[in-house]
Amino acid sequence: MHNAKCTCWNCPAIDLAGKVDFRACGQSGKQFDKTLDSTQETHIMAECKRRPELGLYDPMAITFQECPQWQETPYGYILKDMRVMILGIDGYLGWTLALWLGSLGCKVSGVDNYNRRNWVKERGAHTIVPISRMNQRLRAAKEILDIDIDFRQIDIYTQRERLKEFIDEVKPESIIHYAENPSPAFSMIDVEHAIEVQKNNVLGTLALLFTIRDTVPESALLKLGTMGEYGTPLTGRPLFEGIFPAEAILQWGGREWSLGGELTPRDPVSFYHVSKVQDTFNVYEACKYWWLRSFDIMQGVIFGVHTDQVAADPRLRTRLDIDEWFGTIINRFVAQAVIGIPLTLYGLGKQIRGFIALRDAMECMTRLICAPPEPGQYAVVNQISGIHSARQLAYTVAKIGREYFNLPVQIQRVENPRVEADEHPFEALYEKLPKRYGFKPKVTIDEEITRMFELFLTPEVKKRIEERKQVIMPKTWWSGVKKEVERLELLDLKGEIEEDERLRMFKVHR
Ligand SMILES: NC(=O)c1ccc[n+]([C@@H]2O[C@H](COP(=O)([O-])OP(=O)(O)OC[C@H]3O[C@@H](n4cnc5c(N)ncnc54)[C@H](O)[C@@H]3O)[C@@H](O)[C@H]2O)c1
């Protein structure tokens, strides 16, 4: 188990006692252990809220493996009945995670203000997989999976007091923060939308950080960032996992310095991504000032519809969008293939990104929940399971659609409405989740695409795609131009993407 050797120092169920020196934040427990003498009054002690009979004790003395409160699961030891609060629980990932964690025995609570439902409606789009209203979702979760979810309708930015009361009441041991607008294109529509996204995301997160400080500072925050924070540097510089490793060196003017431990450069690619970068600094500072502990999860693009829990009943399904604002690329390609629209590549279609399947993303989140950072630690992981170009994905969808579903799938290149390099080097590291947290991807792209075809070809979903086909083609230009993109070329599908081209473009670190 990846977290067997973690100690109470990592555990959100302890209070720290003794002379806690906030200037020492970010130091690891091991450093404390080495530098502090237990006879001195500066030594930090633990007090367990779940096992008060232990009194005051050394936080490094008990491991998760030894503690009866931490129980074995396939994803690591997890606190018995762990109290997990999901912010944004009505969303694509939030709802899926709620059912996943509920099935693992966690006590799940959550908030949402239905922003996502409203934003999608405002654009004239809809989720192609029909989803139930929240009260039906909650009833179905109880009825089908025997999961009780404590839900409140709260806006985390404008209703800070209500959120504070709820957090104070639940005392979550882990807080998953999904409650943001997730759309680059939505943030580029016009000034109102740019402001809406940045206000909602940046100020919501800032408010949350103060709330955690004042209510549950020992709770672990899992905050969602995005791989898009790093951009795609044309130098080919590797995209490290948020923080430079110890060996990274800056050379300049004949001198050199270690960059180890510093935040890596960010080059966001939309006003949405800028909001995520601002969040990164706010979370980093909060860990520094107040000894909060957080994972900043640089998540790749998610694809897919499946976990065992959401597939257990139509009322438990999670949303899935295909419009230009909220539809992610693979989900959108499969929907296009199903209704006969040639799959749209923007520009050359050689953009490369990191991806991960919905089910695998849930497993990663669970593994991280099981290994809370140390007090004051701002930890970053790149949460992806593979790297692909848009073209490669379009070929894969076309191949599966043609071979297994007998669909005449075509691919087109259209003008790129975004300001981005169509072709660029890409070297992203994603070593921590596999090496430190024991994650191995379980879902292949082909398998999940096949599953999507099966679901999208059901009469109800296919009809819902047809009903909103006019919102798939992009109209939002980063430049502010107002027009629909034009087709540049219909691709000849006989030429498969050459293997050597792929190898030239990416280096994969595992
Ligand atoms: N889906 C992806 O491919 C992807 C990739 C990288 C990062 N992310 C990040 O993961 C998170 C979740 O993404 P998602 O795809 O589930 O998005 P989503 O829009 O489906 O879920 C977000 C949920 O948060 C709610 N919300 C938004 N603002 C809120 C507020 N102020 N108060 C309360 N609730 C609020 C929305 O109503 C929605 O239900 C986002 O932060 C997103 O940026 C997603």
Side-chain angles (χ1 to χ4, degrees):
M1 291 280 159
H2 68 89
N3 61 348
K5 298 271 178 291
C6 291
T7 64
C8 301
W9 183 247
N10 294 76
C11 180
I14 62 154
D15 276 331
L16 294 177
K19 198 165 172 195
V20 178
D21 182 351
F22 283 81
R23 287 167 306 174
C25 69
Q27 287 199 31
S28 75
K30 284 198 196 81
Q31 279 166 294
F32 272 111
D33 211 25
K34 275 195 231 127
T35 54
L36 299 178
D37 171 354
S38 61
T39 59
Q40 289 175 6
E41 59 162 10
T42 47
H43 193 67
I44 295 178
M45 305 295 277
E47 231 179 333
C48 181
K49 285 176 276 197
R50 288 177 170 236
R51 298 168 72 198
E53 68 281 7
L54 294 175
L56 283 175
Y57 65 100
D58 176 354
M60 251 65 74
I62 306 173
T63 63
F64 287 2
Q65 192 174 17
E66 291 157 352
C67 176
Q69 290 293 315
W70 285 85
Q71 298 187 332
E72 221 173 311
T73 74
Y75 316 111
Y77 289 93
I78 197 164
L79 266 179
K80 190 159 57 168
D81 303 325
M82 190 172 195
R83 298 187 299 277
V84 183
M85 183 178 282
I86 301 175
L87 311 175
I89 195 171
D90 189 45
Y92 175 45
L93 305 178
W95 180 245
T96 314
L97 188 65
L99 300 182
W100 173 283
L101 292 175
S103 300
L104 277 179
C106 294
K107 278 203 170 132
V108 180
S109 57
V111 308
D112 207 293
N113 63 351
Y114 305 126
N115 257 349
R116 171 64 181 260
R117 294 189 190 227
N118 296 331
W119 287 324
V120 168
K121 199 161 162 197
E122 175 222 291
R123 301 317 300 161
H126 66 199
T127 161
I128 56 155
V129 176
I131 54 170
S132 308
R133 302 166 73 90
M134 184 48 92
N135 54 5
Q136 290 167 323
R137 285 184 145 183
L138 297 175
R139 266 203 305 276
K142 178 70 189 156
E143 195 184 304
I144 315 283
L145 302 173
D146 197 24
I147 299 172
D148 285 301
I149 297 173
D150 188 359
F151 171 76
R152 305 287 156 85
Q153 183 178 343
I154 296 175
D155 183 313
I156 67 161
Y157 166 48
T158 61
Q159 295 176 301
R160 294 193 290 280
E161 274 311 307
R162 289 201 55 214
L163 180 67
K164 193 169 174 184
E165 280 163 22
F166 191 37
I167 291 184
D168 222 6
E169 180 189 322
V170 172
K171 299 260 184 309
E173 289 155 319
S174 193
I175 298 178
I176 319 300
H177 179 20
Y178 283 136
E180 296 203 341
N181 181 303
S183 169
F186 190 89
S187 76
M188 300 304 294
I189 295 172
D190 56 22
V191 61
E192 270 76 31
H193 289 83
I195 290 174
E196 165 88 356
V197 171
Q198 293 214 352
K199 187 179 68 175
N200 185 71
N201 294 2
V202 177
L203 302 184
T205 299
L206 188 60
L208 172 69
L209 293 168
F210 276 82
T211 305
I212 295 176
R213 179 195 72 173
D214 297 341
T215 50
V216 285
E218 65 288 355
S219 174
L221 171 67
L222 276 76
K223 155 79 181 55
L224 268 292
T226 152
M227 288 295 290
E229 288 186 35
Y230 306 128
T232 51
L234 293 177
T235 56
R237 168 176 58 71
L239 306 180
F240 293 105
E241 304 201 56
I243 296 170
F244 278 116
E247 326 83 81
I249 301 283
L250 173 69
Q251 283 186 338
W252 181 74
R255 292 177 291 160
E256 62 177 47
W257 299 263
S258 165
L259 285 172
E262 293 202 30
L263 292 182
T264 60
R266 302 295 196 266
D267 187 9
V269 288
S270 72
F271 290 125
Y272 153 74
H273 291 100
V274 175
S275 78
K276 293 288 194 184
V277 173
Q278 174 76 52
D279 286 344
T280 284
F281 282 96
N282 287 339
V283 175
Y284 178 75
E285 293 303 313
C287 292
K288 196 184 339 165
Y289 305 151
W290 308 322
W291 269 37
L292 302 191
R293 45 178 102 194
S294 177
F295 274 117
D296 205 347
I297 299 165
M298 300 302 156
Q299 186 169 252
V301 185
I302 309 270
F303 59 93
V305 281
H306 185 82
T307 61
D308 289 346
Q309 296 80 29
V310 297
D313 187 274
R315 290 168 296 163
L316 295 177
R317 279 276 179 205
T318 196
R319 62 175 314 118
L320 197 117
D321 300 80
I322 52 151
D323 58 87
E324 66 156 311
W325 305 280
F326 295 100
T328 53
I329 181 166
I330 303 181
N331 299 352
R332 206 174 54 228
F333 279 168
V334 181
Q336 288 180 308
V338 162
I339 60 166
I341 300 179
L343 317 186
T344 42
L345 293 173
Y346 296 176
L348 290 173
K350 292 190 175 179
Q351 301 88 337
I352 304 164
R353 300 285 184 272
F355 291 83
I356 185 164
L358 182 62
R359 186 240 163 253
D360 284 345
M362 298 298 108
E363 177 171 335
C364 290
M365 296 299 286
T366 312
R367 288 179 176 277
L368 298 176
I369 291 169
C370 289
E374 301 173 344
Q377 189 185 359
Y378 168 81
V380 191
V381 294
N382 289 348
Q383 185 170 287
I384 55 181
S385 63
I387 293 173
H388 310 276
S389 74
R391 221 171 236 259
Q392 206 187 348
L393 294 170
Y395 275 110
T396 307
V397 171
K399 191 162 183 285
I400 295 175
R402 283 167 173 246
E403 285 180 14
Y404 298 104
F405 297 93
N406 210 17
L407 295 165
V409 187
Q410 291 186 295
I411 302 176
Q412 59 182 328
R413 289 202 308 109
V414 300
E415 292 172 296
N416 189 348
R418 303 179 171 215
V419 175
E420 65 181 5
D422 287 2
E423 195 170 12
H424 54 86
F426 193 80
E427 184 174 344
L429 278 87
Y430 50 114
E431 295 179 333
K432 288 190 196 163
L433 272 160
K435 289 188 181 161
R436 204 174 289 174
Y437 302 104
F439 165 67
K440 283 199 194 81
K442 310 281 185 305
V443 183
T444 65
I445 287 218
D446 291 28
E447 184 186 350
E448 192 59 29
I449 288 175
T450 306
R451 224 164 358 213
M452 276 193 265
F453 268 114
E454 282 162 6
L455 182 66
F456 292 10
L457 282 165
T458 58
E460 184 182 20
V461 177
K462 189 169 175 201
K463 180 163 164 273
R464 287 176 72 86
I465 302 173
E466 290 278 5
E467 280 167 2
R468 291 297 187 279
K469 62 179 177 207
Q470 78 283 3
V471 290
I472 299 178
M473 266 326 230
K475 290 176 265 314
T476 305
W477 287 73
W478 268 223
S479 63
V481 170
K482 302 266 177 261
K483 67 168 191 123
E484 194 153 298
V485 298
E486 278 171 30
R487 178 182 293 177
L488 301 172
E489 182 190 4
L490 202 58
L491 295 189
D492 171 10
L493 273 194
K494 279 191 263 109
E496 290 283 316
I497 197 161
E498 310 98 48
E499 194 62 20
D500 60 339
E501 182 190 356
R502 254 176 52 205
L503 294 176
R504 200 159 29 85
M505 286 197 296
F506 357 108
K507 262 198 199 142
V508 176
H509 283 264
R510 306 227 46 188

